Amino acid sequence: AIARLQRSFHWQRKLSHSIVTNTLAQALYALFAAGDNRNLKSLRRGCFEYFRLGGECTNGPVNLLSILRPNPWLLVYHYVRVCLFSIYLDTVELPLWKRFQTPWIAARLIYASCQVILPLVWSESHFVRHKS
């Protein structure tokens, strides 16, 4: 009976906040350990600049990481905002005659951000589906 309750507690906790925390922590690690990957460097810069905006741009991710608001949709919201802000930062500095590259830059960064987050979400959700 105790083992069953312990297992139930573990999976309730796992489903409520561990998925969000693990996904965010691994995504941040992927960006901060980007190495020579130009796309991940752009996303890392966007992440740092996003945090520098302050307010909800800082509080939201901190609340996710500290498990104060472990909401998966909030994670998606901030992740998409960081990606869009990275696109903005990469394109706003372009000279006017190079702005035609904006769709390619956007596609490149969206693809890179999906390469980071989707495997993490898949592995966390796949693990939960098969263990619960």
Side-chain angles (χ1 to χ4, degrees), residues 31 39-54 56-58 61 76-94 102 105-110 113:
L31 294 183
N39 299 330
L40 293 181
K41 283 183 178 180
S42 291
L43 290 169
R44 177 177 56 206
R45 178 176 160 236
C47 185
F48 281 128
E49 294 298 323
Y50 183 76
F51 291 155
R52 286 184 54 183
L53 292 174
E56 186 56 29
C57 297
T58 304
V76 170
Y77 171 76
H78 285 289
Y79 197 80
V80 169
R81 285 185 64 175
V82 166
C83 181
L84 295 176
F85 193 58
S86 300
I87 293 167
Y88 167 76
L89 290 175
D90 273 12
T91 57
V92 75
E93 297 170 347
L94 291 175
T102 299
I105 292 170
R108 175 171 59 81
L109 291 179
I110 290 169
S113 68

Side-chain angles (χ1 to χ4, degrees), residues 66-132:
S66 63
I67 314 172
L68 293 175
R69 290 178 60 195
N71 183 341
W73 293 111
L74 189 60
L75 173 63
V76 170
Y77 171 76
H78 285 289
Y79 197 80
V80 169
R81 285 185 64 175
V82 166
C83 181
L84 295 176
F85 193 58
S86 300
I87 293 167
Y88 167 76
L89 290 175
D90 273 12
T91 57
V92 75
E93 297 170 347
L94 291 175
L96 207 51
W97 59 275
K98 280 190 156 184
R99 295 271 170 102
F100 71 91
Q101 295 177 351
T102 299
W104 306 117
I105 292 170
R108 175 171 59 81
L109 291 179
I110 290 169
Y111 180 73
S113 68
C114 288
Q115 281 185 313
V116 169
I117 199 77
L118 292 180
L120 298 173
V121 170
W122 171 257
S123 68
E124 285 291 323
S125 65
H126 185 72
F127 182 73
V128 169
R129 274 197 314 268
H130 291 292
K131 294 292 181 183
S132 58

Side-chain angles (χ1 to χ4, degrees), residues 2-21:
I2 291 177
R4 187 169 29 99
L5 288 173
Q6 188 176 22
R7 190 173 26 258
S8 172
F9 170 75
H10 170 76
W11 285 109
Q12 285 175 346
R13 189 177 63 88
K14 176 86 173 159
L15 293 173
S16 69
H17 64 273
S18 294
I19 290 173
V20 173
T21 306

